[in-house]
Amino acid sequence: MAKSKSFHNLSSLLSLSIMDRYLATELIPPFLFSFGIFASLVFTADSLYELLRKVVQAGLPLEIALKVFLLKLPRVIVYVFPMSTLLATLMTYSRLSAESELIALRSCGVSVYRMVLAAVVMSFLVAGITFVVSEQIAPAANYEASVTLDRALKSDKPTFKQENIFYPEYQNVKQPDGSKERILTRLFYADKFDGKRMKGLTLIDRSQEGLNQIVVAESGEWNGSQSVWDFYNGTIYLVAPDRSYRNIARFKHQQLQLPRTPLDVANRSRDFEEMNIAQSLEQLEIESISGNEQKVRQLRVRIQQKIAFPFACVVCGLVGATVGTIPQRTGRAASFGISLAVIFTYYTTLQVARTLGDTGFLSPFVAAWLPNFLGLALGLFLLVRTARR
């Protein structure tokens, strides 16, 4: 009797394993189909027309256009993975529901939660791939695509800022009444930059209490071995607290303990989609030193979004599989329409939350994760409601 019971349990586990393999094989073809459809649509809308316009109007060589096309693919893939997961799970479970296969599984005692598990597991795998592509491949490819286009269309344009390098540094100073006031503590300005040395330098330094100084130099460069700035052929004006001149000193070579940040500002800065999380954190440190609070907020939101966005695959997989298990007859056209509606809603919420995060209305964490939380709540609500039927 005991052997019979254990054999029954083993058979039950084996049948569930067969079910998982069956659902996985059913999910893969729709996923590949969805990936091809959405990749074509997104890339056409995002980059293809612009590349063709540059080929025709700006004379961009076809081989360069093809290279840029390939370099932009990882960025498109990152955005397409959640869409593909949604449509694939919706199509698969809708077809199985229409053909009464899910009803047969439920009659055998398989719950809706267990049936949806296969889709959720696949969604986690896709989320992992999305994170790897968005971190290791897409940022570098986006940067290379931008540099390639700059070189092809404006071959004389350097990858750094040539003129008017401006870097302010702020500090919050506590006032006698206990409040804090944001004041300018250091201002760095250079007329020109040739990629190595800056020329026409002016430095206003108010970082030391009771001692202000103005440094004017013919040129200057960053000394990486000593982590200082080397200024050449200039004058230092020391200013007393009453704004009168205290001292004037001329120099041929003077080393100043200043941060490297002005050089980072002068070099070609990457936009958000050209940086991974580590590079974004480095940029955040630079912007935090400069006191640019708006840029700091934006970077914090983008960093959280880089972490949160891959989990959109899990949310889409859960919503798609749950909606698909609802008894109905949904064809590919209807599934595609439902997917577009969900995708539009998700990305609209994503943009709205990002804007609210950039303005400081929402914290960076909430702004980045809010679309996922709302989608997850919707998916769980539909799942519980379907399971109770």
Side-chain angles (χ1 to χ4, degrees):
M1 188 74 177
K3 288 184 178 180
S4 176
K5 186 175 181 180
S6 62
F7 179 78
H8 176 74
N9 292 337
L10 180 61
S11 300
S12 177
L13 290 173
L14 183 60
S15 65
L16 291 178
S17 177
I18 293 173
M19 182 194 73
D20 291 333
R21 289 199 298 268
Y22 173 71
L23 290 175
T25 55
E26 291 296 312
L27 283 165
I28 292 175
F31 179 82
L32 297 177
F33 168 80
S34 305
F35 180 83
I37 292 294
F38 282 121
S40 302
L41 291 175
V42 172
F43 190 83
T44 299
D46 181 67
S47 303
L48 185 58
Y49 288 145
E50 182 64 20
L51 279 176
L52 292 176
R53 187 187 66 82
K54 289 177 180 178
V55 170
V56 175
Q57 298 181 3
L60 181 68
L62 288 176
E63 60 272 17
I64 299 297
L66 178 61
K67 179 180 179 180
V68 174
F69 171 85
L70 296 175
L71 287 171
K72 286 182 175 291
L73 281 179
R75 174 176 176 268
V76 174
I77 290 174
V78 170
Y79 286 101
V80 164
F81 271 145
M83 305 179 188
S84 305
T85 304
L86 174 65
L87 183 56
T89 52
L90 182 57
M91 288 175 57
T92 300
Y93 281 81
S94 295
R95 183 182 62 79
L96 294 177
S97 178
E99 295 176 358
S100 301
E101 294 190 39
L102 297 185
I103 296 176
L105 288 174
R106 295 194 70 174
S107 66
C108 294
V110 181
S111 67
V112 174
Y113 303 109
R114 187 61 182 82
M115 287 186 287
V116 170
L117 181 61
V120 173
V121 171
M122 186 200 77
S123 301
F124 270 107
L125 293 176
V126 177
I129 297 173
T130 303
F131 182 79
V132 172
V133 174
S134 65
E135 269 296 288
Q136 302 299 325
I137 302 175
N142 291 337
Y143 180 75
E144 184 63 25
S146 299
V147 172
T148 301
L149 277 176
D150 288 342
R151 290 173 179 171
L153 299 178
K154 301 177 182 179
S155 57
D156 59 337
K157 181 180 178 181
T159 58
F160 51 83
K161 190 174 182 180
Q162 286 184 293
E163 299 177 348
N164 301 323
I165 293 88
F166 178 82
Y167 169 69
E169 188 173 327
Y170 298 90
Q171 184 178 4
N172 290 323
V173 178
K174 191 173 183 180
Q175 302 301 311
D177 60 358
S179 63
K180 289 186 177 181
E181 182 179 356
R182 185 168 175 263
I183 66 170
L184 179 70
T185 55
R186 187 179 287 135
L187 179 64
F188 184 104
Y189 175 80
D191 290 332
K192 296 181 180 180
F193 179 52
D194 60 8
K196 180 181 179 182
R197 180 171 291 195
M198 297 189 183
K199 298 180 180 180
L201 291 168
T202 300
L203 172 68
I204 301 175
D205 192 346
R206 305 170 57 197
S207 58
Q208 300 182 31
E209 186 176 356
L211 178 63
N212 299 328
Q213 63 178 348
I214 301 173
V215 182
V216 180
E218 180 182 307
S219 62
E221 61 183 350
W222 172 252
N223 187 335
S225 61
Q226 300 181 37
S227 297
V228 296
W229 280 89
D230 289 324
F231 280 31
Y232 301 98
N233 301 324
T235 304
I236 300 177
Y237 302 90
L238 297 180
V239 183
D242 61 358
R243 306 296 189 269
S244 62
Y245 287 121
R246 175 182 293 181
N247 193 14
I248 299 177
R250 301 185 184 277
F251 62 86
K252 289 187 176 181
H253 175 216
Q254 180 72 36
Q255 290 188 327
L256 297 177
Q257 295 285 345
L258 301 173
R260 184 182 184 274
T261 316
L263 181 62
D264 296 327
V265 172
N267 287 322
R268 186 188 189 280
S269 60
R270 302 190 179 198
D271 62 28
F272 297 120
E273 292 190 344
E274 295 175 353
M275 295 185 290
N276 56 27
I277 293 177
Q279 292 167 333
S280 299
L281 289 172
E282 292 177 359
Q283 186 66 27
L284 177 62
E285 184 177 352
I286 293 173
E287 299 298 341
S288 298
I289 294 174
S290 69
N292 191 335
E293 295 182 1
Q294 182 178 4
K295 194 69 176 291
V296 168
R297 281 199 306 269
Q298 291 177 344
L299 275 168
R300 285 175 175 166
V301 172
R302 299 308 184 277
I303 291 170
Q304 287 293 331
Q305 283 186 324
K306 287 178 179 293
I307 301 172
F309 185 78
F311 288 94
C313 298
V314 179
V315 173
C316 288
L318 176 63
V319 172
T322 303
V323 174
T325 56
I326 299 175
Q328 57 188 337
R329 293 189 176 274
T330 304
R332 283 190 174 183
S335 297
F336 190 73
I338 295 173
S339 298
L340 288 180
V342 174
I343 291 166
F344 176 80
T345 303
Y346 179 86
Y347 281 99
T348 300
T349 306
L350 185 70
Q351 293 297 328
V352 172
R354 173 187 294 181
T355 302
L356 294 177
D358 290 345
T359 58
F361 186 81
L362 294 178
S363 69
F365 178 84
V366 174
W369 288 90
L370 182 61
N372 287 348
F373 290 154
L374 293 177
L376 182 63
L378 174 63
L380 292 175
F381 170 77
L382 294 174
L383 180 61
V384 173
R385 184 177 178 182
T386 304
R388 289 177 177 176
R389 290 187 176 182

